[in-house]
Amino acid sequence: MSTSEKSTKIEPPFLVDPNDLAIQSFPDVDGEDVAGWYIQLQAHERGEDPRAALREAYMRRVFRIPAELRARPQWVVSGADKEPMRATGGHASVKDPSTWTSFETAASAAFERGTWPSFVLTAADEFACIDLDVKDATSHPDKPELWTTPEQRERFNAIVEAFGCYTERSRSGKGLHIWARGNIGTGCRRDHVEVYSQGRHIVCTGDTFHALPVADRLDLLLSMAARMSALDATDETTLVELPEREP
């Protein structure tokens, strides 16, 4: 087969959409992180299925998510706008366990939709997540007043080091999610920092920043929450990514 003939077969999902998984980084079989489009291109040149190769790399990445989270059947699929979705289709709810599923099922469904699995935090589990949200000229080009400042980034780094827990990059690759043990009840947020332990779903990417244990940090979490303004637990839009719809 000539080079020109081979190139005509390089079609979607090869780097055609900036939001496509093809531009994300995934671990190859040797554990080295490479671009999704490159994994597909290599598979194509070997005469293998590029989509299947990307799926294998995607699963290697999401299986970096801590085992204690993966073991719980509290997973939904993140929608295009981070809205919680059922693995079988339709809307999920952080209040309705019948709309949740296992990690493996959610991850498989998320891959098919070009997105990520999302863990539902509840009062019954022991986990909490600190969301360090980075906003910049790319995410908010017309609102420079919202851009994350150097001082805020320094504060983020200090929080990551203080907690010393499993930390991964957010879906955008800019923010960070710190996973710890400790239930603080109603979530809090202030100055681009959010902390939740129930009534929220957190998109998980497996894009590891610190490969550390999910450690018990209840005292630190309570101290942080005490210094942040509490959210109104009756306000649906503050506790989920988007206002929930009926499943």
Side-chain angles (χ1 to χ4, degrees):
M1 179 183 293
S2 70
T3 303
S4 62
E5 288 175 327
K6 288 177 67 175
S7 64
T8 61
K9 294 183 178 296
I10 302 179
E11 299 173 344
F14 288 95
L15 196 54
V16 293
D17 179 348
N19 295 315
D20 195 272
L21 293 177
I23 64 171
Q24 296 279 336
S25 293
F26 298 94
D28 62 15
V29 293
D30 297 318
E32 297 293 328
D33 282 353
V34 298
W37 66 264
Y38 185 69
I39 289 173
Q40 294 181 96
L41 180 59
Q42 286 185 313
H44 170 78
E45 291 179 341
R46 293 193 301 266
E48 300 172 359
D49 182 356
R51 180 77 173 173
L54 182 61
R55 187 183 191 283
E56 290 179 7
Y58 176 97
M59 290 301 173
R60 284 194 294 269
R61 175 167 148 176
V62 295
F63 267 82
R64 290 173 170 174
I65 296 167
E68 52 264 63
L69 296 177
R70 291 188 277 110
R72 300 185 72 95
Q74 295 171 213
W75 292 88
V76 294
V77 176
S78 172
D81 294 320
K82 299 184 182 178
E83 192 171 5
M85 306 295 292
R86 296 179 188 236
T88 55
H91 297 281
S93 169
V94 297
K95 297 178 180 179
D96 184 359
S98 72
T99 64
W100 312 342
T101 188
S102 68
F103 169 77
E104 290 81 0
T105 300
S108 293
F111 172 77
E112 294 303 325
R113 300 175 200 176
T115 181
W116 302 98
S118 196
F119 185 81
V120 180
L121 290 163
T122 75
D125 65 59
E126 58 183 344
F127 302 111
C129 183
I130 301 166
D131 183 357
L132 305 177
D133 187 22
V134 173
K135 296 180 173 63
D136 58 18
T138 302
S139 61
H140 294 76
D142 301 322
K143 295 183 178 180
E145 69 276 9
L146 297 180
W147 296 353
T148 305
T149 65
E151 293 77 14
Q152 289 169 330
R153 291 177 185 271
E154 289 180 9
R155 186 181 307 120
F156 291 177
N157 290 335
I159 292 171
V160 170
E161 294 306 314
F163 273 83
C165 290
Y166 173 81
T167 304
E168 65 176 29
R169 297 174 186 85
S170 64
R171 191 171 68 164
S172 69
K174 299 174 182 177
L176 295 171
H177 292 165
I178 305 169
W179 286 91
R181 295 178 187 271
N183 197 311
I184 61 165
T186 303
C188 312
R189 66 181 175 189
R190 181 179 180 180
D191 200 21
H192 294 214
V193 177
E194 305 177 22
V195 55
Y196 300 101
S197 62
Q198 62 190 58
R200 180 88 172 189
H201 73 99
I202 306 294
V203 180
C204 297
T205 64
D207 189 2
T208 307
F209 185 77
H210 279 331
L212 298 171
V214 181
D216 185 348
R217 296 289 185 266
L218 179 59
D219 289 346
L220 274 177
L221 288 164
L222 290 173
S223 176
M224 172 180 282
R227 298 195 303 269
M228 299 168 68
S229 54
L231 295 175
D232 181 356
T234 64
D235 183 353
E236 285 286 314
T237 61
T238 62
L239 294 177
V240 294
E241 297 288 355
L242 290 174
E244 287 198 74
R245 304 180 190 179
E246 289 299 318

